[in-house]
Amino acid sequence: MAGTVLLVEDEPSVGELVRAYLTRDGYRVIWVRSGEDALTELDRHPVRMVLLDMGLPGKDGFDVCREIRAKSQVPILMLTALDEEPDRIVGLEVGAEDYLTKPF
């Protein structure tokens, strides 16, 4: 097994697609649909990477990224429909390693 990935994505079609590809490549995927659930699961599991959507119900991805970064150095890749340059800058400033816009 390649490790555990925490997928934080509220859109079912995107979540299912990403999970299928990661699972096929040997990753264990923990898929949650809210920022609050992501923070809970991050405390429960040794996660190798976080794939984080920005537009989540409740806490948005920027806030979740800040909270993760305050307690962990796990790599964070933001997956989002927010494609404006200021969004990218903020995403990287709050602690993401990279920022990938949808569709991808």
Side-chain angles (χ1 to χ4, degrees):
M1 179 146 296
T4 300
V5 173
L6 178 59
L7 173 60
V8 189
E9 173 61 62
D10 64 325
E11 177 60 42
S13 62
V14 174
E16 289 170 8
L17 179 68
V18 173
R19 180 178 58 185
Y21 277 110
L22 290 170
T23 301
R24 180 197 69 188
D25 290 340
Y27 290 92
R28 175 177 175 242
V29 178
I30 300 169
W31 177 20
V32 297
R33 292 164 178 84
S34 74
E36 294 83 2
D37 289 344
L39 295 169
T40 298
E41 293 303 317
L42 189 62
D43 289 338
R44 290 182 181 168
H45 304 279
V47 173
R48 181 173 250 183
M49 180 172 53
V50 176
L51 301 178
L52 178 61
D53 185 20
M54 293 294 92
L56 298 168
K59 283 184 192 208
D60 69 18
F62 295 115
D63 289 337
V64 173
C65 187
R66 282 185 196 94
E67 289 190 40
I68 291 172
R69 197 49 73 225
K71 62 184 176 181
S72 173
Q73 290 303 308
V74 64
I76 300 169
L77 173 61
M78 294 187 169
L79 303 176
T80 180
L82 301 176
D83 63 354
E84 298 295 321
E85 186 174 342
D87 295 319
R88 291 174 194 241
I89 292 169
V90 171
L92 297 171
E93 285 179 346
V94 298
E97 273 63 43
D98 208 348
Y99 193 102
L100 182 63
T101 57
K102 297 174 189 173
F104 48 85

